[in-house]
C-alpha cells in the first residue's frame, strides 16, 4: 500500500479516491493469499496497510505536525474506503475459514 500510495502521489498528484479504489483489490488479494492459519489476521492488517499507504498521499503542511494532521484528515475523509476494504477482507477470510473447516470435517 505504501508503494501504491507513492505511485498515486507521483502519477496522479495524490488522489485519495484513486487510493481508496486501489485499496479494495489489495484487500481481496490479501484475503485470498493468506495461509489458512493466518486468515483471521486479514481484517487487522488491512487498516494498518491503509494508514501506512496514506503517508505519501496525505496532504500536509510543513513539518511533522502538518503531515500528521493531513494523515488524520485523510483517514477521516476516506473512512468509507477503509471500512469497505476491511469488511471485504474480513468476509472473504471468514468464508475461506468456513470452507476449510467444512472440508476438514468431511475428510474425517
Amino acid at each position: 500500500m505504501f508503494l501504491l500510495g507513492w505511485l498515486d502521489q507521483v502519477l496522479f498528484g495524490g488522489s485519495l479516491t484513486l487510493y481508496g479504489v486501489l485499496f479494495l483489490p489489495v484487500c481481496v488479494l490479501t484475503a485470498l493469499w493468506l495461509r489458512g492459519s493466518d486468515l483471521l489476521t486479514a481484517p487487522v492488517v488491512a487498516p494498518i496497510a491503509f494508514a501506512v499507504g496514506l503517508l505519501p498521499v496525505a496532504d500536509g503542511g510543513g513539518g511533522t505536525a502538518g503531515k500528521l494532521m493531513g494523515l488524520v484528515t485523510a483517514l477521516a475523509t476516506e473512512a468509507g474506503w477503509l471500512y469497505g476494504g476491511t469488511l471485504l477482507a474480513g468476509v472473504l477470510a471468514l468464508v475461506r475459514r468456513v470452507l476449510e473447516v467444512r472440508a476438514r470435517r468431511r475428510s474425517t
Side-chain angles (χ1 to χ4, degrees), residues 7-62:
L7 286 173
D8 180 23
Q9 179 64 33
V10 169
L11 297 176
F12 301 103
S15 169
L16 291 173
T17 303
L18 177 64
Y19 179 77
V21 169
L22 292 174
F23 177 65
L24 297 179
V26 168
C27 288
V28 170
L29 292 175
T30 299
L32 294 178
W33 281 345
L34 282 174
R35 295 181 303 173
S37 60
D38 293 335
L39 281 176
L40 298 179
T41 63
V44 175
V45 174
I48 295 169
F50 188 85
V52 169
L54 272 178
L55 290 173
V57 178
D59 289 334

Side-chain angles (χ1 to χ4, degrees), residues 58 67-77:
K67 193 67 169 171
L68 183 62
M69 185 55 85
L71 179 64
V72 170
T73 302
L75 282 170
T77 59

Side-chain angles (χ1 to χ4, degrees), residues 39-105:
L39 281 176
L40 298 179
T41 63
V44 175
V45 174
I48 295 169
F50 188 85
V52 169
L54 272 178
L55 290 173
V57 178
D59 289 334
T64 305
K67 193 67 169 171
L68 183 62
M69 185 55 85
L71 179 64
V72 170
T73 302
L75 282 170
T77 59
E78 302 305 312
W81 294 110
L82 176 60
Y83 293 150
T86 303
L87 180 67
L88 192 60
V91 167
L92 286 172
L94 187 61
V95 167
R96 279 191 59 200
R97 181 71 178 157
V98 167
L99 292 176
E100 268 187 20
V101 169
R102 283 187 183 172
R104 192 176 306 137
R105 284 185 183 169

